[in-house]
Amino acid sequence: MKRTRFITLDSTNEYIKREDSIGEYHIVYADEQSAGRGRRGNKWSSSKGGAWFSFCLSEDANITQEMYGKLPFVASVSVSEALREVLGEDVFKLKWVNDVYVSDKKICGILIEKSEKRFIIGIGININNEIEMEYTDSRTSLKEIAGKSFDIEEIIVKVAELFYEKYSYLIRGNWGELYSYICERDFLKGKEITVFNDEKRVEGIAQGITIDGRLIISTKDETVFLETGSVILKK
Ligand code: BTN
């Protein structure tokens, strides 16, 4: 797997968008990002010690958009498996649609963007970095969990390798295995949540994920199925 490392970069996703020469199986990573981005325009803190990286997939006309809609799941499962391998413990949960959690704290965020004919998969994992004060209640790092530091590059490569491997299984029709993995580690199931989806706001209890990847929520009056949205947990 090809790799390009930067000491500092604005954002590894933005770098790939600017550089047409970055093809598949090429990881771009940075020790620090000065303008790390999260979903919904949020800032993503990316100080030294974390895994901040991106890679891409070239769009293939034979692959349906529905299939591409599963990329967030491929990415979060790959992160969860890679972290389980290095930690030696299966403690990772998946928060629909693509965050990775340990207990009640987020350890990884994923930002997938389409740029021209490429899907850019951007992943941020808290490894050895200090969690900023304002996030200590809601985020954790691998170092905090294990009480020791980890090799960041090893984790980045493992995640990317798993991603391409799982993606190739997916397009050969092997969604079932990924789906079971996701359901077994569903962070939201049974929790009281509010989901913001475009102008809609849905409140209720998460009931799981449908076979086509939608979140199931039972509200006071009905059962709602959502394709996308951002989830807030009720305290
Ligand atoms: C989120 O949970 O909101 C998604 C966070 C994604 C952060 C990663 S770090 C590498 C890549 N570059 C960015 O600017 N963002 C993603």
Side-chain angles (χ1 to χ4, degrees), residues 11-13 33 35-39 44 52-54 99 106 109-111 122-124:
S11 149
T12 53
N13 271 34
Q33 294 183 121
R37 289 191 305 107
R39 276 178 287 141
W44 179 261
W52 322 125
F53 62 110
S54 306
D99 289 335
K106 176 161 162 171
I110 294 166
L111 176 67
I123 301 179

Side-chain angles (χ1 to χ4, degrees), residues 15-129:
Y15 179 84
I16 294 191
K17 279 189 208 165
R18 294 193 292 268
E19 294 293 326
D20 291 339
S21 61
I22 308 286
E24 293 184 344
Y25 299 95
H26 185 161
I27 313 168
V28 173
Y29 64 106
D31 295 356
E32 286 178 285
Q33 294 183 121
S34 55
R37 289 191 305 107
R39 276 178 287 141
R40 298 172 298 282
N42 291 332
K43 182 179 168 289
W44 179 261
S45 17
S46 326
S47 57
K48 240 177 141 151
W52 322 125
F53 62 110
S54 306
F55 47 84
C56 71
L57 272 183
S58 305
E59 190 174 17
D60 178 339
N62 299 313
I63 298 192
T64 61
Q65 289 307 310
E66 190 198 336
M67 192 67 91
Y68 284 124
K70 305 234 161 63
L71 292 180
F73 297 114
V74 181
S76 60
V77 170
S78 304
V79 170
S80 152
E81 275 203 5
L83 296 183
R84 179 180 53 86
E85 244 181 74
V86 294
L87 182 69
E89 279 182 73
D90 195 358
V91 291
F92 302 96
K93 295 265 185 280
L94 307 175
K95 180 179 167 216
W96 183 89
V97 55
N98 59 4
D99 289 335
V100 181
Y101 270 66
V102 179
S103 303
D104 281 336
K105 294 184 177 183
K106 176 161 162 171
I107 190 163
C108 164
I110 294 166
L111 176 67
I112 299 185
E113 300 181 289
K114 175 119 187 268
S115 171
E116 313 266 318
K117 294 258 171 249
R118 292 179 301 169
F119 289 91
I120 299 165
I121 293 94
I123 301 179
I125 314 173
N126 296 316
I127 309 268
N128 308 320
N129 52 305

Side-chain angles (χ1 to χ4, degrees), residues 37-226:
R37 289 191 305 107
R39 276 178 287 141
R40 298 172 298 282
N42 291 332
K43 182 179 168 289
W44 179 261
S45 17
S46 326
S47 57
K48 240 177 141 151
W52 322 125
F53 62 110
S54 306
F55 47 84
C56 71
L57 272 183
S58 305
E59 190 174 17
D60 178 339
N62 299 313
I63 298 192
T64 61
Q65 289 307 310
E66 190 198 336
M67 192 67 91
Y68 284 124
K70 305 234 161 63
L71 292 180
F73 297 114
V74 181
S76 60
V77 170
S78 304
V79 170
S80 152
E81 275 203 5
L83 296 183
R84 179 180 53 86
E85 244 181 74
V86 294
L87 182 69
E89 279 182 73
D90 195 358
V91 291
F92 302 96
K93 295 265 185 280
L94 307 175
K95 180 179 167 216
W96 183 89
V97 55
N98 59 4
D99 289 335
V100 181
Y101 270 66
V102 179
S103 303
D104 281 336
K105 294 184 177 183
K106 176 161 162 171
I107 190 163
C108 164
I110 294 166
L111 176 67
I112 299 185
E113 300 181 289
K114 175 119 187 268
S115 171
E116 313 266 318
K117 294 258 171 249
R118 292 179 301 169
F119 289 91
I120 299 165
I121 293 94
I123 301 179
I125 314 173
N126 296 316
I127 309 268
N128 308 320
N129 52 305
E130 289 298 320
I131 305 293
E132 288 173 5
M133 276 287 274
E134 56 179 312
Y135 297 120
T136 49
D137 285 346
S138 57
R139 297 190 188 170
T140 190
S141 66
L142 204 56
K143 184 176 174 181
E144 189 176 83
I145 299 164
K148 61 171 187 169
S149 296
F150 290 83
D151 182 331
I152 300 167
E153 199 182 41
E154 183 196 333
I155 294 173
I156 290 176
V157 173
K158 226 183 250 296
V159 171
E161 281 174 354
L162 282 167
F163 177 90
Y164 285 112
E165 186 186 297
K166 289 183 185 304
Y167 176 70
S168 79
Y169 291 154
L170 174 72
I171 59 177
R172 287 187 180 85
N174 205 349
W175 161 245
E177 212 175 294
L178 275 178
Y179 179 63
S180 315
Y181 188 100
I182 294 157
C183 293
E184 278 160 26
R185 293 166 177 78
D186 184 351
F187 173 75
L188 293 176
K189 197 167 178 177
K191 292 197 165 92
E192 233 182 306
I193 57 170
T194 305
V195 189
F196 296 90
N197 170 323
D198 300 327
E199 287 100 65
K200 245 194 314 192
R201 175 196 156 109
V202 182
E203 264 183 66
I205 312 274
Q207 300 293 355
I209 296 159
T210 61
I211 183 75
D212 56 359
R214 289 177 299 159
L215 181 67
I216 312 166
I217 307 151
S218 58
T219 69
K220 289 206 295 324
D221 320 302
E222 56 180 347
T223 302
V224 180
F225 301 89
L226 293 178

